Amino acid sequence: MDMPSDGPKCSMNMLFTWDTTNLCIVFRQWRVSSTLTLILSLLGVILLTAGYEFVREMSRRYETSSAEYVNKLPRKNVGDAEKRQKMVKAVLYAVQVFYSFFIMLLFMTYNGWVMLSVAVGAFVGYLAFGDSSSTKSVACH
């Protein structure tokens, strides 16, 4: 006897595929059910991935400006400023790690369209925000 269904289920692929039937992206609620939702989802993935480059750029800018600020301080005030600077840098690092693992989860849908969108988002993000560093990391964090 079949159990009653609560509606469409998410498909979970462990192999590369281009199929978007019942594709859920990270969350059960982020489900692709039509061509329009696929296009909107792919644009969302592109924006999310480009946003990661924005966060990285803001972290680099903070690091540069805070180092300049600390260098201008009298020696007696440097200790407190460095502690605050380290705390902010730790928060920014944690945000980057969380963000990068979220992008990894996007990639791990094993869907070719989502994977391409991650790459396009990285490309767009680098063009828009990758001004201050010539070295780029493709690691999860």
Side-chain angles (χ1 to χ4, degrees), residues 1-107:
M1 184 155 98
D2 291 335
M3 299 297 285
S5 174
D6 292 336
K9 300 288 183 193
C10 297
S11 68
M12 179 64 185
N13 292 306
M14 297 305 290
L15 298 171
F16 179 82
T17 183
W18 292 98
D19 185 22
T20 59
T21 307
N22 294 321
L23 172 64
C24 291
I25 303 174
V26 182
F27 305 107
R28 185 181 323 261
Q29 296 82 7
W30 189 355
R31 189 172 160 277
V32 173
S33 59
S34 67
T35 303
L36 178 62
T37 56
L38 174 64
I39 291 169
L40 292 174
S41 293
L42 297 178
L43 289 173
V45 169
I46 290 169
L47 290 173
L48 281 169
T49 310
Y52 175 70
E53 288 299 325
F54 174 76
V55 170
R56 289 183 62 191
E57 180 62 21
M58 291 302 102
S59 296
R60 287 188 290 261
R61 286 183 185 184
Y62 174 77
E63 199 165 328
T64 300
S65 67
S66 63
E68 291 171 358
Y69 173 76
V70 167
N71 287 337
K72 293 177 183 176
L73 287 175
R75 193 169 284 291
K76 65 180 180 175
N77 298 338
V78 169
D80 289 337
E82 285 178 335
K83 287 177 188 176
R84 281 191 306 273
Q85 178 185 14
K86 186 165 185 159
M87 184 64 73
V88 172
K89 286 167 57 173
V91 168
L92 290 171
Y93 179 74
V95 168
Q96 286 182 70
V97 169
F98 180 83
Y99 210 149
S100 66
F101 283 137
F102 187 82
I103 292 169
M104 179 189 66
L105 291 175
L106 291 170
F107 207 84

